[in-house]
Amino acid sequence: MKILVMNCGSSSIKFQLLNMDTETLLVKGGVSKIGTRSAILDLDIPGQEKIKEVAEILDHQSSLEKVLARLMSPELGIIKEKAEIKAIGHRVVHGGESYSGSVAIDDAVVEEIKNLIDLAPLHNPHNLKGIEVCRRIFPEVLQVAVFDTAFHQTMPQASYIYPLPYVLYKRYKVRRYGFHGTSHFYVAHQCAEMMGKEYSKLRIITAHLGNGCSITAIKDGKVLDTSMGFTPLEGLVMGTRCGDIDPSIITYIISREDLSLHEANTLLNKHSGLSGISGVSNDMKDLSEAAADHPRAQLAIDIFCYRLKKYIAGYAGALGGVDALVFTGGIGENATMIREKACEGLEFMGLVIDKAKNAGSRGKAEISISDSPSKIYCIPTNEELVIARETKSILGDKK
Amino acid sequence: MDILDIGIIGASTRGRGLAEAAALAGLNVNLVELNKETLDRGIRKIGEEMDHLIEKWGLTDSEKKAAMARIKGITSLEDLEKKCQMVIVTVREDLDLNKDIFARLDAHMSPATILVTHSAILSVTEIATATQRPDKVAGITFLPPVVRVQLGEVVRGLKTSQETYETVTMFINDRLGKTAVEVAEAPGYISIRMLVNMINEAMYLVMEGIASIEDIDTSMKLGFDMKRGPFEIADKVGLDMVLVWTKYMYKEAGYRYNAPCPLLLKLVRANNLGKKTGEGFYKYDESGKIIGVGALSQMKKWSYNV
């Protein structure tokens, strides 16, 4: 059974086509720079040379049509006809309080995702566009929305209500939502599997460290707390986002530099974080290479790890102890030095990293010493697989 | 019809501001300026404007690079890509010049292309007579700096079709992310008419010796929660521009408006045009910060005697 997984941005689509009988990837790829004369179409078929094509592609619909035409072309022949795709799963960033799980998309769901645009103006409109395009091209096929926020809806109220006038929650739904839910969910389950223990009886901390970074405390299969909040700006230091700061700084800078709301927003979201501290790069790899010559590159790394460590320890306290800590995401999966620095000093609470294992790990691995009371893992995330599984399960229910 | 490619005629302040805003919004911009030197300088200045936005945290380097790549400079109207869905003319506010350009665009562009005049005062209806497509001619007014000001006025000429009006409105709302308001054709539309009268009245207040430039600005800012006072606005717009508008309003519907205040004429004659020349009602340092009141401060006695 073939399932298509879609992730649409403002000028890009990313997709994976999976055979869900065997959970194998058939092809992944996407189109970027949509709306220009030099849009780029990428196709990556496992075991084959990557395909890249530059063409004028003006909108999301023609992007997907072009991709499908390539997949059905005689030379690739990945599918023979559209009808082979039995269901489509969409990544949708914000499900608000309406969705604590994945749903089959109908007009009412589309309307609700539209209503949530206010909460995720940068993502939901584009996710929605992907849904609309797919409904047009595949009118008969089941479409499923999988929300980044859904997993975090299991959070208790004490974790998601901000210490602001309660009426703001009532009026505008200002509360903690959390993001990267699909990724935290996936690696937490993988972790339980690797430990050979029951997922619903564990205390797990999952750190998704990529372009955006978030960390989640999971107790007995439910989210206890997560670092991203009302928007993906809160919490850890990120590539260009500041994470936690004193909110008064914002009003102070706005008045000192006469900033508009847009400028203040961009300052916090695009000019801060690793990039803002270092002045060198927003990429952890660049910073590690530059650290020897640039004191501020080193400072950025130090702040990143220090704040990460505070969250790990804080969540361990909130959980009443920790059975496992998981690193995932681009940085979490690849930056051995960051994992080591973030765990440094946490031995007292049972997290003892094995430096040699950590340095040598590739892919899914345990990186704590063998008698460490709490385990540390590095687990590559796979959000698309979760989306495909969710879609398959809803398709099964429908039948 | 969706707007993806636009032509902008003229690389002066208005054309540049619009090109910058459109490119940042992801549109492909064809900027037409006959003089190659002016064109190059114009594009360079757009880059500098974007640098200011970066300094102000409103933009990142890579966003600037992508936006600049979307601006294509052209030195002949006839080299403009025919398929552009919209062409906006931002040349001098001279009726004959505008009519000539509209006639040439009408002959050159695809029949579907919407032709727009970016003018605060010229008649859309009259400009449209130079074309065979008066239903596809409309007017737009943006206030500078286009990138920051969230308003766009859409001007309907007598023959502007509903479809054209809706497309231009969609362009402002959805493509540029601003807010469009609808105006019928009338001198000064909304913003210029309100502004010119306020500035002119403020100048008469000074001339009659009733209050100082600074105190008038302070009153309006604190009293009405305005970001800038009338004199700060006038200096920012440029006093030559304010004079053109005020004269025009007076000429077109003089029975309802005051004549341009003599103080304005005086400053324009002295080439004290505001922020751009370093002095207008206020004096400015090189970064454009107010450092004091301009030459009028020495004319207080004179002004009391009017």
Side-chain angles (χ1 to χ4, degrees):
Chain A
M1 180 207 304
K2 294 186 180 106
I3 287 180
L4 181 68
V5 175
M6 294 284 296
N7 181 1
C8 280
S10 64
S11 59
S12 68
I13 62 169
K14 283 188 215 146
F15 75 92
Q16 287 196 3
L17 183 66
L18 297 107
N19 179 343
M20 286 308 286
D21 297 326
T22 53
E23 295 204 340
T24 44
L25 177 69
L26 298 172
V27 55
K28 65 175 177 179
V31 180
S32 53
K33 292 171 76 182
I34 295 172
T36 70
R37 262 170 225 106
S38 49
I40 300 160
L41 187 154
D42 282 298
L43 290 179
D44 184 355
I45 304 162
Q48 293 187 29
E49 208 171 305
K50 284 181 188 167
I51 298 168
K52 190 173 171 177
E53 184 191 325
V54 178
E56 175 173 281
I57 306 177
L58 291 181
D59 56 25
H60 289 70
Q61 174 145 355
S62 42
S63 300
L64 186 57
E65 279 166 352
K66 208 158 174 110
V67 166
L68 288 170
R70 289 300 293 261
L71 299 186
M72 290 189 286
S73 66
E75 60 267 22
L76 292 183
I78 293 169
I79 49 172
K80 291 201 175 54
E81 48 181 15
K82 276 197 322 195
E84 282 178 48
I85 294 172
K86 296 296 176 211
I88 302 174
H90 293 269
R91 176 188 182 219
V92 179
V93 165
H94 220 305
E97 289 189 323
S98 317
Y99 301 108
S100 54
S102 309
V103 285
I105 296 170
D106 57 18
D107 290 344
V109 172
V110 166
E111 206 45 48
E112 187 54 26
I113 295 172
K114 235 181 242 174
N115 292 337
L116 292 166
I117 282 179
D118 228 22
L119 295 178
L122 299 179
H123 296 103
N124 270 30
H126 312 304
N127 302 154
L128 198 59
K129 200 180 260 175
I131 291 170
E132 280 165 354
V133 164
C134 285
R135 288 181 99 196
R136 239 176 279 140
I137 300 179
F138 298 92
E140 306 298 328
V141 171
L142 170 77
Q143 319 254 345
V144 171
V146 181
F147 300 95
D148 264 20
T149 51
F151 182 42
H152 299 304
Q153 283 294 309
T154 51
M155 236 185 315
Q157 213 181 17
S159 301
Y160 71 70
I161 295 291
Y162 285 108
L164 289 166
Y166 193 77
V167 69
L168 295 178
Y169 167 59
K170 285 280 171 211
R171 255 185 226 158
Y172 308 114
K173 295 267 178 243
V174 171
R175 53 159 283 180
R176 177 181 308 285
Y177 289 101
F179 299 88
H180 295 142
T182 314
S183 176
H184 290 293
F185 175 85
Y186 175 78
V187 295
H189 276 271
Q190 287 279 308
C191 166
E193 206 174 278
M194 286 172 83
M195 294 175 83
K197 292 196 172 154
E198 209 175 318
Y199 166 70
S200 61
K201 290 189 177 148
L202 288 169
R203 297 161 301 176
I204 308 172
I205 298 174
T206 51
H208 178 109
L209 312 175
N211 226 339
C213 300
S214 69
I215 182 164
T216 298
I218 301 161
K219 190 175 192 175
D220 303 336
K222 286 181 182 161
V223 171
L224 175 68
D225 204 350
T226 188
S227 61
M228 281 181 170
F230 179 58
T231 72
L233 184 57
E234 194 183 343
L236 300 168
V237 177
M238 305 173 219
T240 60
R241 282 175 246 165
C242 60
D244 298 334
I245 58 166
D246 178 347
S248 306
I249 295 170
I250 305 160
T251 46
Y252 179 75
I253 300 294
I254 285 178
S255 73
R256 289 306 294 254
E257 302 215 339
D258 185 25
L259 301 184
S260 66
L261 290 181
H262 163 76
E263 286 160 349
N265 231 332
T266 325
L267 165 67
L268 302 172
N269 278 291
K270 295 186 181 170
H271 292 273
S272 299
L274 296 173
S275 161
I277 302 165
S278 70
V280 175
S281 169
N282 63 349
D283 189 329
M284 190 54 94
K285 220 172 127 219
D286 297 344
L287 291 182
S288 312
E289 283 162 16
D293 304 321
H294 290 83
R296 282 200 289 141
Q298 185 59 52
L299 179 64
I301 296 172
D302 292 347
I303 295 172
F304 182 93
C305 293
Y306 173 69
R307 289 183 165 230
L308 176 57
K309 188 191 310 195
K310 278 208 293 190
Y311 261 105
I312 296 172
Y315 280 176
L319 288 166
V322 56
D323 298 312
L325 166 67
V326 182
F327 289 99
T328 190
I331 298 173
E333 291 166 29
N334 300 305
T336 53
M337 176 262 294
I338 299 297
R339 294 196 299 253
E340 190 185 315
K341 264 179 85 92
C343 292
E344 209 174 70
L346 295 182
E347 298 82 7
F348 78 95
M349 46 185 245
L351 287 166
V352 190
I353 198 165
D354 183 321
K355 289 186 183 177
K357 271 201 247 170
N358 178 47
S361 87
R362 288 287 171 275
K364 206 154 108 175
E366 185 188 323
I367 55 172
S368 43
I369 60 167
S370 45
D371 54 355
S372 173
S374 309
K375 304 289 175 199
I376 310 174
Y377 295 97
C378 174
I379 303 175
T381 193
N382 193 344
E383 290 158 279
E384 291 79 7
L385 183 59
V386 177
I387 295 173
R389 281 178 182 164
E390 292 280 301
T391 306
K392 184 183 173 187
S393 125
I394 289 183
L395 182 66
D397 295 345
K398 286 247 157 186
K399 273 181 178 166
Chain B
M1 181 174 56
D2 203 354
I3 309 283
L4 294 168
D5 311 81
I6 61 168
I8 295 175
I9 316 292
S12 61
T13 319
R14 278 174 303 149
R16 284 201 310 265
L18 192 55
E20 182 191 2
L24 286 173
L27 294 155
N28 301 312
V29 176
N30 300 274
L31 185 61
V32 184
E33 171 65 56
L34 303 187
N35 183 317
K36 178 84 169 71
E37 241 173 77
T38 316
L39 177 67
D40 292 343
R41 196 177 55 232
I43 292 181
R44 204 177 54 236
K45 278 197 164 173
I46 293 173
E48 288 168 12
E49 279 302 320
M50 288 188 193
D51 289 338
H52 289 312
L53 293 182
I54 295 174
E55 277 164 34
K56 277 282 222 169
W57 314 109
L59 193 71
T60 64
D61 282 321
S62 48
E63 285 167 341
K64 174 194 166 184
K65 234 163 121 188
M68 288 305 286
R70 285 193 280 268
I71 301 176
K72 193 170 128 194
I74 299 170
T75 51
S76 157
L77 214 105
E78 278 69 28
D79 286 341
L80 191 56
E81 281 187 58
K82 288 186 183 358
K83 66 159 194 187
C84 284
Q85 298 88 29
M86 182 183 282
V87 181
I88 304 171
V89 178
T90 71
V91 298
R92 221 164 0 102
E93 304 225 23
D94 174 306
L95 186 62
D96 291 335
L97 175 66
N98 274 271
K99 278 169 99 168
D100 174 56
I101 289 174
F102 271 75
R104 282 166 64 193
L105 285 172
D106 188 40
H108 174 68
M109 301 303 293
S110 140
T113 304
I114 293 176
L115 306 180
V116 177
T117 166
H118 184 306
S119 160
I121 51 182
L122 297 177
S123 159
V124 176
T125 307
E126 204 167 352
I127 290 174
T129 59
T131 72
Q132 304 300 314
R133 60 178 99 184
D135 58 316
K136 291 202 176 64
V137 178
I140 275 185
T141 318
F142 292 107
L143 296 173
V146 184
V147 172
R148 274 177 80 108
V149 180
Q150 290 305 311
L151 171 76
E153 290 176 63
V154 184
V155 186
R156 277 179 193 258
L158 199 60
K159 291 186 178 164
T160 307
S161 71
Q162 180 65 17
E163 199 190 339
T164 300
Y165 163 74
E166 279 167 13
T167 307
V168 177
T169 301
M170 183 279 295
F171 165 70
I172 293 172
N173 287 339
D174 301 344
R175 286 291 152 271
L176 297 184
K178 301 186 186 294
T179 302
V181 293
E182 178 184 0
V183 271
E185 191 170 279
Y189 311 124
I190 304 172
S191 51
I192 302 299
R193 181 157 156 186
M194 298 297 294
L195 186 71
V196 157
N197 281 292
M198 179 178 65
I199 293 172
N200 210 26
E201 207 54 43
M203 290 187 290
Y204 277 113
L205 272 178
V206 172
M207 201 175 79
E208 291 163 19
I210 292 165
S212 71
I213 291 170
E214 292 132 302
D215 285 351
I216 294 169
D217 273 354
T218 303
S219 307
M220 296 305 282
K221 283 194 286 191
L222 298 184
F224 297 100
D225 221 358
M226 286 172 63
K227 222 173 158 192
R228 292 184 188 81
F231 293 108
E232 287 168 311
I233 298 174
D235 274 0
K236 204 154 182 277
V237 170
L239 301 190
D240 48 345
M241 204 64 223
V242 174
L243 181 61
V244 169
W245 290 340
T246 317
K247 268 185 178 164
Y248 182 84
M249 302 286 292
Y250 185 58
K251 191 181 114 206
E252 285 283 310
Y255 60 94
R256 295 178 55 189
Y257 303 115
N258 281 326
C261 176
L263 290 184
L264 180 61
L265 290 162
K266 216 174 220 3
L267 287 175
V268 171
R269 279 188 200 124
N271 201 39
N272 287 9
L273 302 182
K275 217 168 170 175
K276 60 182 171 188
T277 59
E279 186 174 336
F281 288 103
Y282 294 100
K283 262 190 210 156
Y284 297 86
D285 69 7
E286 270 177 18
S287 70
K289 252 179 85 180
I290 292 178
I291 47 173
V293 179
L296 282 185
S297 61
Q298 283 137 41
M299 298 177 65
K300 242 184 181 156
K301 280 208 181 94
W302 165 84
S303 64
Y304 277 96
N305 294 331
V306 172

